[in-house]
Amino acid sequence: MKNSPEPLEISPSEWLSINQFLLEMKKINSLCVSVYYPYGKGKETISLLQESKRKESTERIEREIEKRIAKLRENPSSLGKFTKTLCIFGWIKNGKINIREMGTSKQLPYIYMVSKRPYIKPFHDILKINYDVILVTLDQKCARVQKFHGSQIVSESKLRIDLQGRHKKGGQSQGRFLRARQTKIHVFFKKVANRVKKLDSNSEIILLGGNGQGKTEFFGELDSDLVKKCRFVKNLSFSTSISDIHKKIIHHLYQYRRKYVAEIIEKYEKLVKEGLTAKRNDVIYKALKLGAVDTLIVSADYHSNSQFKTIMKMLEIAKNTSAKIEFAVSPKILKKLEINDSVLAILRYRIK
């Protein structure tokens, strides 16, 4: 019997745990060494750390990370047998070196980076961590509006109206009743839409669900900016468990990310003729040194080729020159662009 293929999307329980871990990492506001490496590649990672020459304070952190990697090699069971990537962060606070690590069942890129804060972008791009999402659950009488940052609910509102379901009399009285009822629903949905707009400062997507036709009627009350972000969610009600809610959020974030990367690739292809792109590693390396790179597009599994050390250095330069880094996961996009042994760059200006 064949083993079933590994699910592409992360499980809600692991997503929850990683969100909680990275919530703590985001509080760190000091120079940090971030190391991601494939499970079983600890020895190679230690060699990589030892090859580099950094200032003394950074090398102190690196030596502690090396010790931690060695301990993980000796006793890996504590991280779980399904761990594919180990992630270690090291920083100095009040003169003391702090080390935190975490394992994930998903493959993340090989990272060795020294930056002003912990480098967590791969979690965001690949595992859909730390996104802002608005979830609206409603019918014609009740609404719940929740804003999530990752797995954490940062704002929640509940609204409702008294709405009579039937009118026993017929004729003109029945018609007036139905018009008044529909007006009341319209006003209610407008109030809910205003609440959503007030919360929508930086959300990537708005998820909309609920029993009955209320959600489709409410959709018509949203302005054009909110409509662009809105996605309908199946099988969502006021009684849906938080675990199932997380699962639905994760699923729609994966869809959102695929569309987002496709748009970046489309932009890259349009700029090729204008000379505002680069594909060769040596050209991109030079452009990064000049601060000419706007966006660096990198295969999530670039570490499987011979260029990974060069690309790793490019990632650090990009991070420290404010270039945007986007990790591509889709096999279709990777095959189309042939970037497993190189990266792509969108440039701020032409370079000679």
Side-chain angles (χ1 to χ4, degrees):
M1 183 178 177
K2 293 184 179 180
N3 293 328
S4 58
E6 180 189 353
L8 295 175
E9 297 177 6
I10 189 171
S11 71
S13 59
E14 185 174 359
W15 182 77
L16 174 62
S17 297
I18 296 175
N19 266 296
Q20 291 173 335
F21 175 84
L22 292 184
L23 194 62
E24 294 300 313
M25 291 295 99
K26 287 182 74 176
K27 295 176 183 177
I28 299 165
N29 192 20
S30 59
L31 184 126
C32 184
V33 179
S34 304
V35 178
Y36 299 49
Y37 65 96
Y39 183 78
K41 295 290 184 179
K43 186 176 180 181
E44 292 87 339
T45 305
I46 290 173
S47 297
L48 187 67
L49 288 165
Q50 292 174 341
E51 283 177 17
S52 65
K53 295 298 178 184
R54 307 276 187 169
K55 62 182 182 181
E56 177 55 30
S57 59
T58 303
E59 293 205 344
R60 282 178 57 207
I61 299 171
E62 290 179 348
R63 286 194 290 270
E64 290 302 316
I65 290 177
E66 290 166 19
K67 292 177 185 176
R68 188 61 189 150
I69 291 172
K71 287 183 179 178
L72 292 175
R73 285 175 59 208
E74 294 168 7
N75 186 22
S77 59
S78 62
L79 290 159
K81 62 182 179 180
F82 298 116
T83 297
K84 281 195 173 180
T85 307
L86 292 166
C87 312
I88 304 180
F89 303 93
W91 68 98
I92 298 176
K93 183 177 181 181
N94 299 326
K96 181 182 177 182
I97 297 173
N98 294 266
I99 304 291
R100 291 287 306 276
E101 82 274 339
M102 184 192 61
T104 173
S105 67
K106 298 297 181 182
Q107 180 176 298
L108 299 181
Y110 214 138
I111 299 288
Y112 164 41
M113 185 176 293
V114 179
S115 53
K116 294 179 181 178
R117 303 185 70 176
Y119 184 63
I120 61 175
K121 186 72 161 55
F123 290 98
H124 185 270
D125 288 4
I126 299 168
L127 303 185
K128 316 305 178 273
I129 305 298
N130 280 331
Y131 278 86
D132 289 300
V133 175
I134 293 177
L135 181 70
V136 182
T137 311
L138 83 171
D139 55 27
Q140 291 182 328
K141 296 188 289 185
C142 303
R144 183 177 65 200
V145 182
Q146 298 167 301
K147 183 170 184 178
F148 287 80
H149 178 70
S151 59
Q152 185 181 34
I153 298 174
V154 295
S155 178
E156 181 170 8
S157 299
K158 294 180 181 178
L159 303 92
R160 66 178 297 115
I161 55 171
D162 293 323
L163 193 66
Q164 188 176 339
R166 295 182 180 181
H167 191 277
K168 295 180 180 178
K169 297 180 181 179
Q172 290 184 339
S173 178
Q174 174 75 357
R176 285 196 301 272
F177 168 78
L178 291 175
R179 287 192 295 274
R181 185 178 189 275
Q182 197 58 42
T183 299
K184 197 170 185 179
I185 293 170
H186 170 75
V187 171
F188 173 62
F189 284 163
K190 201 72 178 175
K191 185 176 180 181
V192 177
N194 288 335
R195 186 66 55 89
V196 173
K197 189 174 181 65
K198 186 176 180 181
L199 285 178
D200 183 54
S201 56
N202 54 355
S203 62
E204 278 81 12
I205 56 175
I206 299 169
L207 301 182
L208 174 59
N211 295 327
Q213 296 300 311
K215 54 184 176 291
T216 52
E217 294 178 42
F218 170 74
F219 183 76
E221 301 293 340
L222 298 174
D223 64 31
S224 58
D225 290 334
L226 297 180
V227 164
K228 290 175 185 176
K229 295 183 177 184
C230 199
R231 310 284 188 276
F232 285 99
V233 183
K234 295 180 180 179
N235 302 319
L236 178 68
S237 70
F238 295 107
S239 61
T240 301
S241 69
I242 190 65
S243 176
D244 283 343
I245 286 175
H246 287 165
K247 190 173 183 178
K248 294 177 189 302
I249 290 174
I250 293 165
H251 176 69
H252 282 275
L253 284 175
Y254 270 80
Q255 290 185 331
Y256 164 80
R257 178 66 189 175
R258 281 194 292 270
K259 183 175 182 292
Y260 178 80
V261 173
E263 289 170 352
I264 293 174
I265 299 305
E266 184 179 351
K267 178 182 177 182
Y268 172 89
E269 291 175 331
K270 286 181 179 178
L271 292 174
V272 169
K273 292 180 180 179
E274 299 179 28
L276 290 174
T277 64
K279 191 171 183 179
R280 284 172 39 199
N281 286 347
D282 58 338
V283 175
I284 296 173
Y285 196 93
K286 176 185 175 183
L288 284 165
K289 287 285 190 179
L290 294 171
V293 174
D294 175 79
T295 304
L296 200 65
I297 305 167
V298 188
S299 165
D301 62 350
Y302 77 86
H303 59 267
S304 61
N305 71 78
S306 60
Q307 289 286 309
F308 90 92
K309 289 185 180 179
T310 300
I311 296 173
M312 192 179 295
K313 291 177 183 176
M314 292 163 73
L315 286 170
E316 188 171 31
I317 297 171
K319 172 63 178 174
N320 292 320
T321 55
S322 299
K324 295 188 287 288
I325 300 171
E326 301 293 347
F327 291 101
V329 180
S330 166
K332 184 178 179 180
I333 289 177
L334 299 181
K335 183 178 180 180
K336 177 182 179 182
L337 299 176
E338 299 177 344
I339 61 173
N340 277 327
D341 60 350
S342 63
V343 298
L344 301 179
I346 296 174
L347 304 178
R348 295 186 173 115
Y349 52 85
R350 292 186 182 188
I351 59 172
K352 295 181 180 179

